[in-house]
């Protein structure tokens, strides 16, 4: 395994980043460091164990040492309230260097090349997700919406970009961008503005990677498309008729003239035949106005061959020229955007990371930095699943994610391990597996 992608090195990157956080406490009562608070929160997400810290305090009392120290490098184990107090003022963007080190390691090891798709590009899907909502608890950094019954829901949300590829079960999470009130803006923050901030912050790296930005219908608007064109970034964005009526008036007119490209293919889904109907046209105005960019449009409608029932329909805009030979690949990659829901947001919410659980709301950045640490834990495990042969062997042998983490939780509650690798080696030995 590339040592840059080892648990020890990734954890070292996290420790060094946490050490760079400016001290915000006034006074001499500084028993717990900001590093310990960050590592403590991260360990809960990494082990997928809300009780991990409590168990390690018990072990510390009994054995004089705990896995919180030996595996995660904590000096002291702060309690939950101390963790929340220490992390609340910390801007989650301070963790971005850890993401950079992890993704840089994957790039160095050649893994990003394995995710390349149409035109040898890297697909980066963007989508927003809520991670906290309440009609009672709120802070100055909350967004809000008014419900039909005139009640108010307060919420926190983030853009969670990921690298995806059609047919690949893994996604690689990138730095999130959080939605919260921006200085100098009267309107509350929204997904489009957060997505624009993220693009502006990372455009140079995205150009170097030669990415295609994938997004839902909320992003298929002139300001965002113009920004991508300005930054020389390719894109494939969902574009629905209700969102861009001017574009679709053009499509209807051009289709009536018989100049819209068409392609139909018969495909077998394993148990029945489906007909894939493609339509496409290049250089159509996205919206009204002289400054409207002219983009390329395509649509896929899937029907059942035996009944004619429509099974799927969606349409996309892109800056790639669309032809009979490219339309299939462009649509395939456009549809890959759904992996951000299935393999990223859904995993974070339902597969042990509990993204929507209120680990702590705070008055400033607490909920956001906890989310960033949670996504970092997911990124670490994704990396190990890609490159670590010991981790791969155990995940394959134990079959389910639930069993793997149940075993880790049980072992670290009762036994002391010298390192993360020591834990994996112990599990391989006790399962009588041949070491990789």
């Amino acid at each position: 395994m590339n040592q840059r992608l080892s648990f020890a090195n990734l954890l070292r990157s996290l420790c060094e980043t946490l050490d760079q956080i400016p001290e915000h406490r006034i006074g001499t009562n500084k028993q717990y460091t900001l590093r310990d608070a960050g590592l403590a929160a991260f360990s809960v997400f990494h082990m997928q164990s809300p009780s991990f810290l409590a168990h390690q305090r018990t072990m510390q009392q009994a054995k004089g040492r705990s896995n919180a120290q030996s595996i995660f490098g904590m000096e002291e184990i702060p309690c939950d309230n101390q963790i929340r107090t220490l992390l609340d003022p910390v801007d989650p963007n301070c963790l971005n260097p850890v993401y950079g080190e992890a993704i840089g390691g994957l790039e160095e090891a050649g893994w990003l090349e394995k995710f390349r798709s149409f035109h040898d590009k890297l697909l980066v899907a963007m989508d927003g997700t809520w991670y906290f909502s309440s009609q009672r608890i709120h802070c100055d950094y909350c967004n809000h919406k008014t419900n039909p019954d005139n009640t108010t829901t307060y919420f926190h949300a983030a853009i969670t970009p990921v690298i995806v590829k059609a047919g690949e079960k893994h996604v690689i999470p990138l730095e999130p961008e959080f939605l919260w009130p921006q200085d100098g803006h009267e309107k509350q923050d929204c997904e489009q503005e957060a997505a624009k901030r993220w693009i502006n912050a990372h455009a140079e790296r995205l150009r170097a990677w030669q990415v295609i930005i994938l997004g839902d219908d909320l992003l298929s608007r002139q300001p965002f498309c113009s920004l991508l064109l300005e930054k020389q970034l390719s894109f494939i964005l969902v574009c629905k008729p209700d969102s861009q009526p001017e574009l679709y008036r053009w499509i209807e007119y051009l289709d009536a003239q018989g100049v819209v490209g068409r392609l139909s293919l018969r495909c077998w889904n394993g148990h029945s035949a489906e007909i894939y109907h493609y339509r496409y046209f290049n250089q159509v105005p996205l919206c009204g106005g002289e400054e409207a960019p002219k983009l390329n449009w395509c649509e896929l409608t899937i029907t059942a061959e035996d009944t004619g029932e429509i099974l799927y329909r969606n349409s996309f805009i892109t800056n790639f020229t669309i032809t009979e030979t490219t339309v299939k690949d462009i649509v395939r990659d456009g549809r890959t955007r759904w992996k951000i829901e299935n393999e990223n947001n859904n995993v974070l919410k339902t597969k042990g990371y509990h993204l929507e659980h209120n680990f702590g709301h705070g008055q400033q950045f607490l909920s956001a930095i906890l989310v960033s640490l949670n996504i970092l834990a997911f990124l670490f495990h994704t990396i190990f699943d890609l490159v670590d042969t010991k981790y791969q062997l155990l995940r394959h042998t134990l079959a389910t994610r639930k069993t793997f983490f149940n075993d880790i939780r049980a072992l670290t509650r009762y036994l002391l391990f010298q390192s993360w690798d020591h834990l994996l080696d112990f599990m391989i030995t006790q399962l009588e597996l041949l070491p990789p």
Side-chain angles (χ1 to χ4, degrees), residues 25-226:
R25 288 170 290 180
I26 299 174
T28 58
N29 185 11
K30 299 175 182 177
Q31 177 183 357
Y32 301 103
T33 64
L34 291 172
R35 177 204 273 206
D36 281 345
L39 291 174
F42 174 78
S43 70
V44 169
F45 302 131
H46 184 82
M47 305 300 277
Q48 294 197 358
S49 174
S51 303
F52 177 74
L53 296 177
H55 295 157
Q56 300 315 303
R57 291 187 199 100
T58 301
M59 181 179 288
Q60 172 77 26
Q61 293 171 357
K63 300 177 182 290
R65 190 165 171 78
S66 74
N67 291 300
Q69 296 168 310
S70 59
I71 294 179
F72 292 99
M74 290 177 236
E75 295 179 4
E76 302 287 344
I77 308 175
C79 72
D80 293 354
N81 286 336
Q82 290 162 331
I83 294 170
R84 295 185 181 105
T85 300
L86 287 169
L87 294 183
D88 191 20
V90 179
D91 188 330
N93 291 320
C94 74
L95 297 174
N96 285 357
V98 192
Y99 287 89
E101 174 63 20
I103 303 301
L106 287 173
E107 184 176 18
E108 182 182 273
W111 274 98
L112 296 193
E113 295 304 307
K114 299 178 182 181
F115 275 76
R116 294 200 174 273
S117 189
F118 178 67
H119 274 349
D120 203 30
K121 303 278 189 178
L122 205 61
L123 304 180
V124 173
M126 302 182 69
D127 196 15
T129 187
W130 287 22
Y131 57 86
F132 168 84
S133 65
S134 173
Q135 292 187 7
R136 186 171 54 86
I137 300 172
H138 60 93
C139 68
D140 291 340
Y141 289 85
C142 281
N143 284 324
H144 65 273
K145 72 168 189 173
T146 302
N147 303 314
D149 60 359
N150 288 324
T151 59
T152 299
T153 295
Y154 301 94
F155 66 93
H156 286 290
I159 298 290
T160 54
V162 292
I163 298 172
V164 298
K165 182 181 180 181
E168 170 59 56
K169 69 175 183 177
H170 297 94
V171 300
I172 301 174
L174 302 174
E175 303 92 330
E177 179 67 37
F178 294 93
L179 279 68
W180 48 41
Q182 300 295 304
D183 292 340
H185 292 259
E186 293 184 2
K187 295 182 179 179
Q188 68 175 348
D189 206 8
C190 66
E191 287 187 24
Q192 293 178 55
E193 292 302 316
K196 287 162 62 177
R197 289 198 303 275
W198 192 85
I199 291 294
N200 279 316
H202 303 287
E204 184 176 349
R205 180 183 64 175
L206 297 173
R207 276 196 303 274
W209 283 350
Q210 297 186 322
V211 306
I212 301 174
I213 298 296
L214 308 179
D216 63 11
D217 185 66
L218 286 174
L219 298 182
S220 61
R221 304 294 190 272
Q222 179 177 342
F224 188 69
C225 294
S226 296

Side-chain angles (χ1 to χ4, degrees), residues 365-412:
F365 303 116
L366 178 61
S367 60
I369 195 165
L370 293 178
V371 163
S372 192
L373 288 166
N374 204 346
I375 296 174
L376 263 181
F378 177 45
L379 173 58
F380 281 25
H381 283 292
T382 299
I383 289 172
F384 303 149
D385 212 10
L386 288 172
V387 308
D388 189 332
T389 52
K390 295 178 184 178
Y391 188 95
Q392 292 166 352
L393 176 61
L394 288 168
R395 284 298 309 274
H396 175 74
T397 302
L398 297 174
T400 68
R401 182 193 303 267
K402 185 177 181 179
T403 301
F404 175 77
F405 282 104
N406 279 345
D407 284 5
I408 283 179
R409 283 190 289 268
L411 289 170
T412 54

